[in-house]
Amino acid sequence: MNERTDINTVVNYILRNIRATNKKLQKLVYYAYAWYIVENNENDNITNVLFHEQPEAWVHGPVFPVLYDRYKDNGRNEIAIPDDIIEIDEELALFLDEILNVFGPFDGDQLELMTHNELPWQKARGNAKTDEISTNPIDLQDIYNYYTSLT
């Protein structure tokens, strides 16, 4: 699997450009991850991903556990702007800016509702009840198929 960058670089860029709670950050990172798959793969051959980590179908939508663990102590509060600046190339910055322009205006609860209405999260949840814990990974092919159908 070819990885474009790492999750820390994506998070750093997002938090340096938009205010976000843990929930909002999770969903923004998820949409960046999903749309990167759509724009950088063809058909059934998912070989290019934004970064290594794969989202899981948690109760409140797609979650990257490593991010949840890092920011869980923030609760519902906004995450502080990172002190460090991680340099990224212009192509990645333009891609992330597009994601932030589309999804950035929504709050975490709105983004959660959006993901709850989308097939990749629903399918990964399977028969789990609304408030039942699930760590099922969201399938990359489901991500590609669903979001490609929206274009």
Side-chain angles (χ1 to χ4, degrees), residues 35-42 45 47-48 91 95:
W35 284 103
Y36 187 87
I37 288 173
V38 169
E39 292 183 8
N40 293 280
N41 292 280
E42 294 181 15
N45 192 19
T47 58
N48 299 301
E91 182 182 345
F95 170 76

Side-chain angles (χ1 to χ4, degrees), residues 42-46 141 144-145:
E42 294 181 15
N43 303 321
D44 293 336
N45 192 19
I46 308 299
Q141 192 64 52
Y144 178 85
N145 292 341

Side-chain angles (χ1 to χ4, degrees), residues 4-149:
R4 175 68 168 81
T5 188
D6 63 80
I7 197 168
N8 296 322
T9 300
V10 173
V11 168
N12 183 279
Y13 187 85
I14 289 172
L15 291 176
R16 294 194 65 73
N17 286 281
I18 199 163
R19 304 297 299 154
T21 60
N22 192 357
K23 185 189 289 190
K24 181 172 181 170
L25 177 65
Q26 291 283 353
K27 305 316 170 251
L28 292 173
V29 172
Y30 170 73
Y31 280 122
Y33 184 86
W35 284 103
Y36 187 87
I37 288 173
V38 169
E39 292 183 8
N40 293 280
N41 292 280
E42 294 181 15
N43 303 321
D44 293 336
N45 192 19
I46 308 299
T47 58
N48 299 301
V49 292
L50 186 55
F51 47 77
H52 171 73
E53 290 80 4
Q54 189 170 348
E56 296 178 358
W58 286 25
V59 170
H60 295 288
V63 169
F64 295 91
V66 67
L67 292 185
Y68 177 79
D69 289 341
R70 184 181 310 158
Y71 297 113
K72 66 184 174 188
D73 291 341
N74 277 59
R76 296 176 181 257
N77 299 317
E78 288 185 347
I79 299 167
I81 298 170
D83 292 331
D84 55 331
I85 299 174
I86 299 174
E87 296 295 325
I88 66 172
D89 62 69
E90 185 177 349
E91 182 182 345
L92 181 56
L94 290 171
F95 170 76
L96 293 173
D97 286 343
E98 186 176 338
I99 296 298
L100 294 178
N101 287 335
V102 173
F103 298 103
F106 299 101
D107 67 27
D109 292 332
Q110 292 168 317
L111 292 168
E112 174 185 345
L113 182 60
M114 290 165 64
T115 61
H116 279 203
N117 288 310
E118 297 172 348
L119 188 64
W121 178 83
Q122 293 172 349
K123 192 170 175 185
R125 290 285 297 168
N127 294 327
K129 294 183 174 107
T130 305
D131 59 349
E132 187 177 342
I133 293 173
S134 166
T135 58
N136 294 340
I138 299 176
D139 185 73
L140 302 183
Q141 192 64 52
D142 290 340
I143 289 172
Y144 178 85
N145 292 341
Y146 177 76
Y147 294 104
T148 299
S149 75

